[in-house]
Amino acid sequence: MDSPDSAAEPPIEALQSVFHLRETRRDDDRLLFYGESLVPERMLVREVWGAFREAGYEIQVASTRGGREDVVIARPVSQGIDGIPWKNLGLFLATVVSTLLVGSLTWYYTPLSELLANPLVVLQAWPFTAAVLGVLATHELGHYAMGRYHGVDVSLPYVLPFIFPFGTLGAVIRMRGQMPDRRALFDIGVAGPLAGLAATVVVTAIGLSLPPITVPEWAIQGTGQVIVFNNPPLLDLIAGVLGRPTEYSEPAVAVNPVIIGGWVGMFFTVLNLLPVGQLDGGHILRAMVGESQERIAAVVPAVLFGLAAYLHYVLGYGLNESVGLWGFWGLLSAVVAFKGPANPVDDSPLGSVRIAVGIATFALGALCFLLVPVEVMSV
């Protein structure tokens, strides 16, 4: 990252036209300007952002404790990756391990005793790991590439390890810079779902083309209940085009676990396209309709809670099925919506081409939605 010494001098004159400057301090690589804003915060950012950006700085506005003084914080714009991203690499390696373990135990039916006797057996699950991480990484790298294209300071993806059923919670990136305009907000928001869906289609097609696996007898003679991941419409569509089955009548035969990577890609696409806050759908819709997005976002938690209630009280599904899933995302979307969307400096409307791409993206996301993604069935 550049330091203030390597960036140009900050444009104090542009700041002083809308800000009564009393004191300037330096905090590591940041410059802090203390004083009193002469205009509302968003107008202040809009007035001085261009001049500071040209000089090599991102800015944000804050207040001191008690709100007695305004602070304009100028930070050098990141020019790329600064050194080795150890945290990103560490989380990625941890997620490789977690997906290998979960894939081997859950999707390739490796007994725990066999895994403990020979840990290298876990490597048989590498196709599952490659499928899941390939889809998630492609999604986030779409955001990253478009963020860099627009000069927005974005981090490399952080892939999050987890346990059953997929060995990961997904992946995220951090956008640290100010969003210059609606076009940048839209392009960054839409790049992830479109890139991720392209990877999802490829992974799903590969998984459907691979031979099925054999389910061992001990797994068939289990508790009498199994967790079923139902097919999104897009998965059935790809299977129909290829003429391949998505399930087998014989209990000892199961589809190749690589298909789960496609299912994960579709499921995470649906969640990311929820039009709230700073989820991808929130970014896209904010760019498309402006501040009206917040009124739409306020309805989303109620819709998700309504889905959970309908599944439980009308269709009789349990909390450990899709009821709990939609209920959790209803709560999470309420939190995300409360924090609000990203607000671009230039709020000029989008052109018709981007509006059409946005509508198409939400339509593709609808092909990944299903009312009951997960349910428990007796066998």
Side-chain angles (χ1 to χ4, degrees), residues 205-235:
I206 292 173
L208 288 167
S209 302
L210 291 174
I213 65 170
T214 301
V215 181
E217 186 175 348
W218 63 263
I220 300 173
Q221 299 174 348
T223 61
Q225 288 188 324
V226 294
I227 298 176
V228 176
F229 296 86
N230 292 316
N231 293 349
L234 181 58
L235 197 155

PDB file of all heavy atoms in Angstrom, residues 205-235:
ATOM      1  N   ALA A 205     -22.201 -29.547 -14.832  1.00  0.00           N
ATOM      2  CA  ALA A 205     -22.117 -30.382 -16.033  1.00  0.00           C
ATOM      3  C   ALA A 205     -21.042 -31.454 -15.885  1.00  0.00           C
ATOM      4  O   ALA A 205     -21.245 -32.616 -16.272  1.00  0.00           O
ATOM      5  CB  ALA A 205     -21.830 -29.508 -17.248  1.00  0.00           C
ATOM      6  N   ILE A 206     -19.892 -31.081 -15.307  1.00  0.00           N
ATOM      7  CA  ILE A 206     -18.828 -32.068 -15.077  1.00  0.00           C
ATOM      8  C   ILE A 206     -19.299 -33.139 -14.106  1.00  0.00           C
ATOM      9  O   ILE A 206     -19.110 -34.343 -14.326  1.00  0.00           O
ATOM     10  CB  ILE A 206     -17.559 -31.373 -14.550  1.00  0.00           C
ATOM     11  CG1 ILE A 206     -16.949 -30.490 -15.641  1.00  0.00           C
ATOM     12  CG2 ILE A 206     -16.536 -32.405 -14.068  1.00  0.00           C
ATOM     13  CD1 ILE A 206     -15.792 -29.635 -15.150  1.00  0.00           C
ATOM     14  N   GLY A 207     -19.926 -32.703 -13.004  1.00  0.00           N
ATOM     15  CA  GLY A 207     -20.396 -33.661 -12.007  1.00  0.00           C
ATOM     16  C   GLY A 207     -21.413 -34.638 -12.561  1.00  0.00           C
ATOM     17  O   GLY A 207     -21.388 -35.839 -12.257  1.00  0.00           O
ATOM     18  N   LEU A 208     -22.328 -34.135 -13.401  1.00  0.00           N
ATOM     19  CA  LEU A 208     -23.334 -35.012 -14.005  1.00  0.00           C
ATOM     20  C   LEU A 208     -22.715 -35.995 -14.993  1.00  0.00           C
ATOM     21  O   LEU A 208     -23.242 -37.089 -15.217  1.00  0.00           O
ATOM     22  CB  LEU A 208     -24.393 -34.170 -14.719  1.00  0.00           C
ATOM     23  CG  LEU A 208     -25.359 -33.386 -13.817  1.00  0.00           C
ATOM     24  CD1 LEU A 208     -26.130 -32.361 -14.621  1.00  0.00           C
ATOM     25  CD2 LEU A 208     -26.323 -34.339 -13.108  1.00  0.00           C
ATOM     26  N   SER A 209     -21.593 -35.606 -15.599  1.00  0.00           N
ATOM     27  CA  SER A 209     -20.937 -36.459 -16.593  1.00  0.00           C
ATOM     28  C   SER A 209     -20.041 -37.518 -15.963  1.00  0.00           C
ATOM     29  O   SER A 209     -19.691 -38.504 -16.626  1.00  0.00           O
ATOM     30  CB  SER A 209     -20.107 -35.596 -17.551  1.00  0.00           C
ATOM     31  OG  SER A 209     -20.919 -34.636 -18.200  1.00  0.00           O
ATOM     32  N   LEU A 210     -19.671 -37.312 -14.698  1.00  0.00           N
ATOM     33  CA  LEU A 210     -18.814 -38.279 -14.019  1.00  0.00           C
ATOM     34  C   LEU A 210     -19.633 -39.488 -13.560  1.00  0.00           C
ATOM     35  O   LEU A 210     -20.834 -39.373 -13.309  1.00  0.00           O
ATOM     36  CB  LEU A 210     -18.128 -37.623 -12.820  1.00  0.00           C
ATOM     37  CG  LEU A 210     -17.073 -36.566 -13.148  1.00  0.00           C
ATOM     38  CD1 LEU A 210     -16.585 -35.881 -11.871  1.00  0.00           C
ATOM     39  CD2 LEU A 210     -15.888 -37.190 -13.874  1.00  0.00           C
ATOM     40  N   PRO A 211     -18.999 -40.642 -13.415  1.00  0.00           N
ATOM     41  CA  PRO A 211     -19.734 -41.841 -12.990  1.00  0.00           C
ATOM     42  C   PRO A 211     -20.223 -41.714 -11.548  1.00  0.00           C
ATOM     43  O   PRO A 211     -19.606 -41.003 -10.736  1.00  0.00           O
ATOM     44  CB  PRO A 211     -18.695 -42.960 -13.115  1.00  0.00           C
ATOM     45  CG  PRO A 211     -17.377 -42.271 -13.041  1.00  0.00           C
ATOM     46  CD  PRO A 211     -17.570 -40.933 -13.678  1.00  0.00           C
ATOM     47  N   PRO A 212     -21.319 -42.377 -11.197  1.00  0.00           N
ATOM     48  CA  PRO A 212     -21.810 -42.345  -9.816  1.00  0.00           C
ATOM     49  C   PRO A 212     -20.864 -43.091  -8.890  1.00  0.00           C
ATOM     50  O   PRO A 212     -19.948 -43.780  -9.341  1.00  0.00           O
ATOM     51  CB  PRO A 212     -23.167 -43.032  -9.906  1.00  0.00           C
ATOM     52  CG  PRO A 212     -23.037 -43.944 -11.089  1.00  0.00           C
ATOM     53  CD  PRO A 212     -22.147 -43.215 -12.059  1.00  0.00           C
ATOM     54  N   ILE A 213     -21.088 -42.919  -7.590  1.00  0.00           N
ATOM     55  CA  ILE A 213     -20.271 -43.625  -6.607  1.00  0.00           C
ATOM     56  C   ILE A 213     -21.127 -44.684  -5.909  1.00  0.00           C
ATOM     57  O   ILE A 213     -22.361 -44.620  -5.923  1.00  0.00           O
ATOM     58  CB  ILE A 213     -19.673 -42.662  -5.565  1.00  0.00           C
ATOM     59  CG1 ILE A 213     -20.787 -42.018  -4.731  1.00  0.00           C
ATOM     60  CG2 ILE A 213     -18.811 -41.600  -6.224  1.00  0.00           C
ATOM     61  CD1 ILE A 213     -20.259 -41.255  -3.524  1.00  0.00           C
ATOM     62  N   THR A 214     -20.455 -45.638  -5.320  1.00  0.00           N
ATOM     63  CA  THR A 214     -21.136 -46.715  -4.602  1.00  0.00           C
ATOM     64  C   THR A 214     -21.281 -46.349  -3.130  1.00  0.00           C
ATOM     65  O   THR A 214     -20.309 -45.942  -2.482  1.00  0.00           O
ATOM     66  CB  THR A 214     -20.357 -48.034  -4.725  1.00  0.00           C
ATOM     67  OG1 THR A 214     -20.236 -48.381  -6.106  1.00  0.00           O
ATOM     68  CG2 THR A 214     -21.066 -49.150  -3.980  1.00  0.00           C
ATOM     69  N   VAL A 215     -22.499 -46.481  -2.608  1.00  0.00           N
ATOM     70  CA  VAL A 215     -22.765 -46.208  -1.198  1.00  0.00           C
ATOM     71  C   VAL A 215     -22.565 -47.504  -0.420  1.00  0.00           C
ATOM     72  O   VAL A 215     -23.198 -48.529  -0.735  1.00  0.00           O
ATOM     73  CB  VAL A 215     -24.199 -45.692  -0.993  1.00  0.00           C
ATOM     74  CG1 VAL A 215     -24.448 -45.383   0.488  1.00  0.00           C
ATOM     75  CG2 VAL A 215     -24.450 -44.459  -1.853  1.00  0.00           C
ATOM     76  N   PRO A 216     -21.698 -47.524   0.592  1.00  0.00           N
ATOM     77  CA  PRO A 216     -21.450 -48.763   1.338  1.00  0.00           C
ATOM     78  C   PRO A 216     -22.687 -49.212   2.114  1.00  0.00           C
ATOM     79  O   PRO A 216     -23.554 -48.409   2.458  1.00  0.00           O
ATOM     80  CB  PRO A 216     -20.303 -48.386   2.280  1.00  0.00           C
ATOM     81  CG  PRO A 216     -20.349 -46.903   2.381  1.00  0.00           C
ATOM     82  CD  PRO A 216     -20.857 -46.409   1.073  1.00  0.00           C
ATOM     83  N   GLU A 217     -22.743 -50.474   2.403  1.00  0.00           N
ATOM     84  CA  GLU A 217     -23.911 -51.053   3.064  1.00  0.00           C
ATOM     85  C   GLU A 217     -24.153 -50.446   4.440  1.00  0.00           C
ATOM     86  O   GLU A 217     -25.295 -50.225   4.839  1.00  0.00           O
ATOM     87  CB  GLU A 217     -23.731 -52.567   3.180  1.00  0.00           C
ATOM     88  CG  GLU A 217     -24.966 -53.284   3.719  1.00  0.00           C
ATOM     89  CD  GLU A 217     -24.795 -54.792   3.719  1.00  0.00           C
ATOM     90  OE1 GLU A 217     -23.828 -55.282   3.088  1.00  0.00           O
ATOM     91  OE2 GLU A 217     -25.627 -55.461   4.346  1.00  0.00           O
ATOM     92  N   TRP A 218     -23.049 -50.137   5.164  1.00  0.00           N
ATOM     93  CA  TRP A 218     -23.229 -49.572   6.510  1.00  0.00           C
ATOM     94  C   TRP A 218     -23.923 -48.212   6.459  1.00  0.00           C
ATOM     95  O   TRP A 218     -24.640 -47.828   7.395  1.00  0.00           O
ATOM     96  CB  TRP A 218     -21.884 -49.444   7.231  1.00  0.00           C
ATOM     97  CG  TRP A 218     -20.895 -48.507   6.581  1.00  0.00           C
ATOM     98  CD1 TRP A 218     -19.882 -48.848   5.748  1.00  0.00           C
ATOM     99  CD2 TRP A 218     -20.822 -47.079   6.732  1.00  0.00           C
ATOM    100  NE1 TRP A 218     -19.181 -47.729   5.351  1.00  0.00           N
ATOM    101  CE2 TRP A 218     -19.736 -46.635   5.952  1.00  0.00           C
ATOM    102  CE3 TRP A 218     -21.568 -46.142   7.458  1.00  0.00           C
ATOM    103  CZ2 TRP A 218     -19.383 -45.291   5.854  1.00  0.00           C
ATOM    104  CZ3 TRP A 218     -21.222 -44.805   7.362  1.00  0.00           C
ATOM    105  CH2 TRP A 218     -20.137 -44.380   6.583  1.00  0.00           C
ATOM    106  N   ALA A 219     -23.724 -47.475   5.378  1.00  0.00           N
ATOM    107  CA  ALA A 219     -24.374 -46.174   5.255  1.00  0.00           C
ATOM    108  C   ALA A 219     -25.855 -46.318   4.930  1.00  0.00           C
ATOM    109  O   ALA A 219     -26.686 -45.509   5.348  1.00  0.00           O
ATOM    110  CB  ALA A 219     -23.682 -45.347   4.178  1.00  0.00           C
ATOM    111  N   ILE A 220     -26.184 -47.357   4.176  1.00  0.00           N
ATOM    112  CA  ILE A 220     -27.590 -47.596   3.838  1.00  0.00           C
ATOM    113  C   ILE A 220     -28.371 -48.055   5.058  1.00  0.00           C
ATOM    114  O   ILE A 220     -29.523 -47.668   5.272  1.00  0.00           O
ATOM    115  CB  ILE A 220     -27.688 -48.655   2.717  1.00  0.00           C
ATOM    116  CG1 ILE A 220     -26.952 -48.155   1.462  1.00  0.00           C
ATOM    117  CG2 ILE A 220     -29.141 -48.970   2.393  1.00  0.00           C
ATOM    118  CD1 ILE A 220     -26.854 -49.190   0.373  1.00  0.00           C
ATOM    119  N   GLN A 221     -27.722 -48.857   5.891  1.00  0.00           N
ATOM    120  CA  GLN A 221     -28.379 -49.378   7.091  1.00  0.00           C
ATOM    121  C   GLN A 221     -28.140 -48.446   8.264  1.00  0.00           C
ATOM    122  O   GLN A 221     -27.747 -48.846   9.342  1.00  0.00           O
ATOM    123  CB  GLN A 221     -27.844 -50.772   7.407  1.00  0.00           C
ATOM    124  CG  GLN A 221     -28.087 -51.794   6.309  1.00  0.00           C
ATOM    125  CD  GLN A 221     -27.415 -53.117   6.591  1.00  0.00           C
ATOM    126  OE1 GLN A 221     -26.583 -53.231   7.479  1.00  0.00           O
ATOM    127  NE2 GLN A 221     -27.786 -54.141   5.820  1.00  0.00           N
ATOM    128  N   GLY A 222     -28.416 -47.186   8.087  1.00  0.00           N
ATOM    129  CA  GLY A 222     -28.165 -46.193   9.131  1.00  0.00           C
ATOM    130  C   GLY A 222     -29.351 -46.016  10.045  1.00  0.00           C
ATOM    131  O   GLY A 222     -30.031 -46.972  10.413  1.00  0.00           O
ATOM    132  N   THR A 223     -29.649 -44.775  10.358  1.00  0.00           N
ATOM    133  CA  THR A 223     -30.677 -44.456  11.354  1.00  0.00           C
ATOM    134  C   THR A 223     -32.085 -44.530  10.792  1.00  0.00           C
ATOM    135  O   THR A 223     -33.047 -44.437  11.531  1.00  0.00           O
ATOM    136  CB  THR A 223     -30.450 -43.037  11.894  1.00  0.00           C
ATOM    137  OG1 THR A 223     -30.551 -42.108  10.800  1.00  0.00           O
ATOM    138  CG2 THR A 223     -29.080 -42.917  12.542  1.00  0.00           C
ATOM    139  N   GLY A 224     -32.212 -44.663   9.467  1.00  0.00           N
ATOM    140  CA  GLY A 224     -33.543 -44.663   8.869  1.00  0.00           C
ATOM    141  C   GLY A 224     -33.957 -43.297   8.376  1.00  0.00           C
ATOM    142  O   GLY A 224     -35.026 -43.146   7.781  1.00  0.00           O
ATOM    143  N   GLN A 225     -33.134 -42.262   8.598  1.00  0.00           N
ATOM    144  CA  GLN A 225     -33.420 -40.927   8.109  1.00  0.00           C
ATOM    145  C   GLN A 225     -32.204 -40.376   7.381  1.00  0.00           C
ATOM    146  O   GLN A 225     -31.065 -40.612   7.783  1.00  0.00           O
ATOM    147  CB  GLN A 225     -33.794 -39.984   9.258  1.00  0.00           C
ATOM    148  CG  GLN A 225     -35.166 -40.260   9.863  1.00  0.00           C
ATOM    149  CD  GLN A 225     -35.556 -39.182  10.858  1.00  0.00           C
ATOM    150  OE1 GLN A 225     -34.726 -38.652  11.573  1.00  0.00           O
ATOM    151  NE2 GLN A 225     -36.842 -38.861  10.894  1.00  0.00           N
ATOM    152  N   VAL A 226     -32.457 -39.652   6.295  1.00  0.00           N
ATOM    153  CA  VAL A 226     -31.367 -39.030   5.542  1.00  0.00           C
ATOM    154  C   VAL A 226     -31.722 -37.577   5.270  1.00  0.00           C
ATOM    155  O   VAL A 226     -32.897 -37.208   5.188  1.00  0.00           O
ATOM    156  CB  VAL A 226     -31.114 -39.753   4.200  1.00  0.00           C
ATOM    157  CG1 VAL A 226     -30.598 -41.158   4.436  1.00  0.00           C
ATOM    158  CG2 VAL A 226     -32.359 -39.757   3.340  1.00  0.00           C
ATOM    159  N   ILE A 227     -30.682 -36.746   5.164  1.00  0.00           N
ATOM    160  CA  ILE A 227     -30.877 -35.349   4.783  1.00  0.00           C
ATOM    161  C   ILE A 227     -30.808 -35.259   3.267  1.00  0.00           C
ATOM    162  O   ILE A 227     -29.839 -35.708   2.652  1.00  0.00           O
ATOM    163  CB  ILE A 227     -29.807 -34.454   5.427  1.00  0.00           C
ATOM    164  CG1 ILE A 227     -29.925 -34.521   6.951  1.00  0.00           C
ATOM    165  CG2 ILE A 227     -29.944 -33.015   4.946  1.00  0.00           C
ATOM    166  CD1 ILE A 227     -28.839 -33.749   7.680  1.00  0.00           C
ATOM    167  N   VAL A 228     -31.833 -34.708   2.669  1.00  0.00           N
ATOM    168  CA  VAL A 228     -31.934 -34.624   1.212  1.00  0.00           C
ATOM    169  C   VAL A 228     -31.758 -33.166   0.784  1.00  0.00           C
ATOM    170  O   VAL A 228     -32.420 -32.263   1.323  1.00  0.00           O
ATOM    171  CB  VAL A 228     -33.290 -35.154   0.718  1.00  0.00           C
ATOM    172  CG1 VAL A 228     -33.426 -34.971  -0.792  1.00  0.00           C
ATOM    173  CG2 VAL A 228     -33.441 -36.618   1.097  1.00  0.00           C
ATOM    174  N   PHE A 229     -30.860 -32.945  -0.180  1.00  0.00           N
ATOM    175  CA  PHE A 229     -30.677 -31.626  -0.770  1.00  0.00           C
ATOM    176  C   PHE A 229     -31.420 -31.619  -2.099  1.00  0.00           C
ATOM    177  O   PHE A 229     -30.975 -32.228  -3.073  1.00  0.00           O
ATOM    178  CB  PHE A 229     -29.184 -31.331  -0.963  1.00  0.00           C
ATOM    179  CG  PHE A 229     -28.421 -31.246   0.328  1.00  0.00           C
ATOM    180  CD1 PHE A 229     -27.900 -32.390   0.924  1.00  0.00           C
ATOM    181  CD2 PHE A 229     -28.247 -30.036   0.970  1.00  0.00           C
ATOM    182  CE1 PHE A 229     -27.210 -32.322   2.126  1.00  0.00           C
ATOM    183  CE2 PHE A 229     -27.562 -29.949   2.164  1.00  0.00           C
ATOM    184  CZ  PHE A 229     -27.040 -31.092   2.751  1.00  0.00           C
ATOM    185  N   ASN A 230     -32.560 -30.966  -2.115  1.00  0.00           N
ATOM    186  CA  ASN A 230     -33.410 -30.987  -3.305  1.00  0.00           C
ATOM    187  C   ASN A 230     -32.792 -30.191  -4.457  1.00  0.00           C
ATOM    188  O   ASN A 230     -31.970 -29.292  -4.238  1.00  0.00           O
ATOM    189  CB  ASN A 230     -34.797 -30.433  -2.963  1.00  0.00           C
ATOM    190  CG  ASN A 230     -35.553 -31.358  -2.029  1.00  0.00           C
ATOM    191  OD1 ASN A 230     -35.555 -32.575  -2.212  1.00  0.00           O
ATOM    192  ND2 ASN A 230     -36.185 -30.797  -1.006  1.00  0.00           N
ATOM    193  N   ASN A 231     -33.208 -30.528  -5.673  1.00  0.00           N
ATOM    194  CA  ASN A 231     -32.616 -29.924  -6.860  1.00  0.00           C
ATOM    195  C   ASN A 231     -33.219 -28.552  -7.168  1.00  0.00           C
ATOM    196  O   ASN A 231     -34.446 -28.442  -7.327  1.00  0.00           O
ATOM    197  CB  ASN A 231     -32.828 -30.812  -8.082  1.00  0.00           C
ATOM    198  CG  ASN A 231     -32.072 -32.110  -8.002  1.00  0.00           C
ATOM    199  OD1 ASN A 231     -31.219 -32.285  -7.135  1.00  0.00           O
ATOM    200  ND2 ASN A 231     -32.375 -33.032  -8.895  1.00  0.00           N
ATOM    201  N   PRO A 232     -32.396 -27.524  -7.313  1.00  0.00           N
ATOM    202  CA  PRO A 232     -32.898 -26.263  -7.853  1.00  0.00           C
ATOM    203  C   PRO A 232     -33.299 -26.448  -9.313  1.00  0.00           C
ATOM    204  O   PRO A 232     -32.805 -27.361  -9.995  1.00  0.00           O
ATOM    205  CB  PRO A 232     -31.691 -25.316  -7.731  1.00  0.00           C
ATOM    206  CG  PRO A 232     -30.747 -25.986  -6.784  1.00  0.00           C
ATOM    207  CD  PRO A 232     -30.978 -27.454  -6.940  1.00  0.00           C
ATOM    208  N   PRO A 233     -34.191 -25.616  -9.838  1.00  0.00           N
ATOM    209  CA  PRO A 233     -34.602 -25.750 -11.247  1.00  0.00           C
ATOM    210  C   PRO A 233     -33.424 -25.729 -12.222  1.00  0.00           C
ATOM    211  O   PRO A 233     -33.426 -26.455 -13.215  1.00  0.00           O
ATOM    212  CB  PRO A 233     -35.515 -24.538 -11.453  1.00  0.00           C
ATOM    213  CG  PRO A 233     -36.069 -24.257 -10.099  1.00  0.00           C
ATOM    214  CD  PRO A 233     -34.974 -24.582  -9.131  1.00  0.00           C
ATOM    215  N   LEU A 234     -32.393 -24.912 -11.931  1.00  0.00           N
ATOM    216  CA  LEU A 234     -31.254 -24.825 -12.842  1.00  0.00           C
ATOM    217  C   LEU A 234     -30.521 -26.161 -12.927  1.00  0.00           C
ATOM    218  O   LEU A 234     -30.062 -26.560 -14.011  1.00  0.00           O
ATOM    219  CB  LEU A 234     -30.291 -23.722 -12.389  1.00  0.00           C
ATOM    220  CG  LEU A 234     -29.051 -23.511 -13.265  1.00  0.00           C
ATOM    221  CD1 LEU A 234     -29.444 -23.185 -14.703  1.00  0.00           C
ATOM    222  CD2 LEU A 234     -28.165 -22.412 -12.682  1.00  0.00           C
ATOM    223  N   LEU A 235     -30.405 -26.871 -11.810  1.00  0.00           N
ATOM    224  CA  LEU A 235     -29.727 -28.167 -11.826  1.00  0.00           C
ATOM    225  C   LEU A 235     -30.507 -29.166 -12.678  1.00  0.00           C
ATOM    226  O   LEU A 235     -29.924 -29.901 -13.482  1.00  0.00           O
ATOM    227  CB  LEU A 235     -29.543 -28.676 -10.401  1.00  0.00           C
ATOM    228  CG  LEU A 235     -28.522 -29.806 -10.200  1.00  0.00           C
ATOM    229  CD1 LEU A 235     -27.997 -29.796  -8.768  1.00  0.00           C
ATOM    230  CD2 LEU A 235     -29.109 -31.175 -10.495  1.00  0.00           C
TER     231      LEU A 235
END
